[in-house]
Amino acid sequence: MTAEPVAGLRVFAPAKINLTLHVTGQRADGYHLLDSLVVFADVGDTVQLRPAAAWSLRVDGSEGGHVPAGDDNLVLRVARLFPDLSAALTLTKDLPVASGIGGGSADAAAVWRGLCQMAGRDADAAQLLSLGADIPVCVPSGAARMQGIGEVVTPLAELPALHVVLANPRVAVSTPQIFRALARKDNAPMPDVLPVFADAAALCDWLGTQRNDLQAAAEALEPQITQTCQALAALPRCLLARMSGSGATCFGVFATAKDAAEAAASLSSARPGWWVREGALGSMQAKAAPRPLS
């Protein structure tokens, strides 16, 4: 990798969707063990990086008002892993905060990708796990099986094309609170070998036999999550509706872009106060690659 000579970079931070999320244990240090099928959406945030004399962060976008821009922001914590660089960062937020679709982790991973290109090297990504369990899977932004506490990421190449409607009822949930509320933490993992899926319907049929082990606890804390999944499941041609991550964002899977677009328009009209987006679902590695600012 060579250093990026242009004035700056733009990096897309795609939303992370947990199609499954099995909680399979808890380590002595308190970290939970997971087994999750993760994909990414072509819906997300954007980070711009411009070389500067000192680090700075500006946050804008439709969801930017909910994001603190101080030193504790995950984006700046990642930036400080590059002591030989400094840049002015602009984070444009379209993903809701604390919403179960990896917004903060995706932003941090986007900054990581951009700074690696600006530095002309691949830095040690193992450092990222201490900042957030979702960041390692968000760095490549490809479809993957995520295991352990997030450090075991196995790329998945053979998933059928999917389309999605994402919906958040505008409630924020606390991930630690949901983990504390779990009835059990030693649930079964996914099968050792995942099936090969002929199409979106076959994948969703199989996903229906799997779980998000956080969903029941999240629904008990925030009943609007139940209502959101029910609203998605009721949309025409929805193949599967489930909560992502620790919520409160839920997703509905569709076989075609037309089905997803029509469903999103219908849901937005019926629930104007919700955050609703539609898009493609799968691997977003190419879309998430840093690009020169024009």
Side-chain angles (χ1 to χ4, degrees), residues 102-251:
S105 296
D107 298 340
V111 168
W112 177 267
R113 292 192 298 274
L115 291 176
C116 282
Q117 182 152 329
M118 290 178 74
R121 58 181 170 82
D122 290 321
D124 180 11
Q127 304 171 84
L128 296 174
L129 189 64
S130 65
L131 299 180
D134 281 340
I135 302 178
V137 77
C138 289
V139 168
S141 295
R145 183 175 188 169
M146 181 179 71
Q147 295 170 286
I149 63 170
E151 82 282 13
V152 181
V153 177
T154 305
L156 299 174
E158 300 299 329
L159 287 181
L162 300 174
H163 299 272
V164 71
V165 175
L166 303 175
N168 186 294
R170 292 295 185 183
V171 295
V173 295
S174 164
T175 300
Q177 186 179 11
I178 289 171
F179 273 106
R180 286 194 296 269
L182 287 178
R184 59 181 297 175
K185 301 180 179 180
D186 58 347
N187 304 286
M190 293 187 294
D192 289 342
V193 179
L194 301 185
V196 175
F197 305 104
D199 54 24
L203 172 57
C204 288
D205 284 346
W206 179 80
L207 290 173
T209 70
Q210 306 300 300
R211 314 176 308 275
N212 179 341
D213 288 330
L214 303 183
Q215 186 162 339
E219 289 177 332
L221 292 168
E222 289 291 352
Q224 289 188 65
I225 294 173
T226 304
Q227 299 168 15
T228 306
C229 277
Q230 290 173 343
L232 286 163
L235 293 168
R237 294 174 293 283
C238 180
L239 300 174
L240 174 80
R242 177 170 286 165
M243 186 184 82
S244 179
S246 57
T249 303
C250 302
F251 61 88

Side-chain angles (χ1 to χ4, degrees), residues 2-55:
T2 58
E4 180 58 50
V6 298
L9 295 169
R10 176 181 288 105
V11 191
F12 179 62
K16 173 196 64 68
I17 311 301
N18 299 94
L19 294 177
T20 69
L21 182 52
H22 296 198
V23 180
T24 60
Q26 186 173 18
R27 301 193 321 193
D29 60 8
Y31 283 96
H32 292 87
L33 301 174
L34 309 174
D35 190 11
S36 180
L37 179 55
V38 177
V39 292
F40 291 83
D42 62 355
V43 175
D45 300 333
T46 303
V47 179
Q48 295 184 21
L49 307 89
R50 293 179 173 85
W55 289 110

